[in-house]
Amino acid sequence: MRKLIWGTSIVVVLGIIAAIIFTPKSDPTDFDYASLPVLGQTDAPVKIVEFGDFKCPACQYFSQQVKPQLEKEYIDTGKAAMYFMDFLIIGPDSETAALAAHSVFHQNNDAFWKYYDALYKNQPDEKLNWATPDYLLQLAKDNKIDVDYDKMKTDIEDKTYIKEVDKGSSTARKANVQSTPTLFINGKEYKGDFSNYGQLKEAIDKALAADKAE
């Protein structure tokens, strides 16, 4: 009986070990970085992708409290670059805000990030349908966003970049993104608390170390 029990135990243990060894690891998400708004140097060793919704209050927090720290320590120093993709989860006018931002991006990448900051700084209550074409256009003018405003108006009304907006949300769903903001570091989802800068810094430093080791 003892031999039977020991034999069974060994088989179970070996089965667990085999499951750990042979369970396929999830591959990093393959982003088309060249098609995305970028903040920082495109050849930076660490690439951070934010999935966001311009109506999302948590994204507002990230833009105002976390992004400035990332810029100072990693982006401005050339260690990391930040990219943005849409994941529309709040309301129907989340799409309108995304269309406006895409118009700005296609005219001026640097202006996109200024507009990104302006959108979050002036973000009303998420329950309101505030992201109207008139509001979004006036916000660009008030913040002296360096784009052609007539083109921006047309791009919003004609939904010029709707395929790009939809592609962002589709990519998010395929990557099993559940909320905004969600960050990916060199293609791998950051599972920690985005508001805990120390935890995020540790993940970025780990990615930097891995890049140097290659």
Side-chain angles (χ1 to χ4, degrees):
M1 180 63 70
R2 288 181 180 177
K3 289 182 180 181
L4 179 60
I5 293 172
W6 276 105
T8 303
S9 299
I10 291 171
V11 170
V12 171
V13 171
L14 290 175
I16 293 172
I17 293 173
I20 294 172
I21 294 174
F22 295 108
T23 297
K25 296 179 180 179
S26 57
D27 294 328
T29 300
D30 186 18
F31 293 105
D32 181 12
Y33 294 105
S35 69
L36 305 178
V38 57
L39 183 64
Q41 301 174 17
T42 56
D43 61 350
V46 173
K47 299 182 186 302
I48 303 168
V49 174
E50 174 201 353
F51 280 100
D53 183 323
F54 290 112
K55 290 195 65 180
C56 167
C59 294
Q60 180 190 54
Y61 176 90
F62 175 81
S63 74
Q64 296 179 335
Q65 303 299 325
V66 182
K67 175 174 162 282
Q69 296 183 77
L70 291 176
E71 287 187 73
K72 182 179 179 181
E73 188 166 1
Y74 293 102
I75 297 171
D76 292 346
T77 58
K79 296 176 182 177
M82 181 174 159
Y83 299 79
F84 182 84
M85 292 193 79
D86 304 287
F87 185 29
L88 310 184
I89 63 171
I90 301 298
D93 55 330
S94 294
E95 179 184 284
T96 314
L99 289 168
H102 274 263
S103 178
V104 172
F105 162 58
H106 280 280
Q107 295 188 58
N108 185 336
N109 176 79
D110 292 340
F112 169 87
W113 294 101
K114 184 176 179 181
Y115 193 55
Y116 167 106
D117 289 336
L119 279 165
Y120 285 124
K121 182 179 179 181
N122 296 277
Q123 182 193 79
D125 191 302
E126 66 179 301
K127 296 182 181 66
L128 302 175
N129 291 325
W130 57 264
T132 64
D134 288 342
Y135 179 89
L136 295 163
L137 190 62
Q138 191 59 50
L139 185 65
K141 292 177 179 178
D142 291 345
N143 286 273
K144 297 180 172 56
I145 304 300
D146 187 17
V147 295
D148 182 326
Y149 301 125
D150 289 335
K151 185 178 187 317
M152 183 178 175
K153 182 175 186 294
T154 299
D155 285 341
I156 297 170
E157 293 175 346
D158 293 349
K159 297 189 175 184
T160 303
Y161 299 107
I162 188 61
K163 288 184 179 179
E164 292 184 8
V165 174
D166 290 343
K167 183 180 179 181
S169 291
S170 175
T171 301
R173 287 190 290 270
K174 287 178 181 177
N176 200 33
V177 174
Q178 301 295 315
S179 61
T180 57
T182 292
L183 306 179
F184 280 71
I185 301 173
N186 284 353
K188 297 181 180 180
E189 183 179 351
Y190 169 64
K191 298 290 190 178
D193 179 2
F194 73 85
S195 66
N196 184 331
Y197 185 70
Q199 197 175 74
L200 178 57
K201 173 180 165 60
E202 184 178 343
I204 296 172
D205 288 341
K206 185 177 179 180
L208 280 168
D211 177 78
K212 290 180 180 178
E214 291 180 355

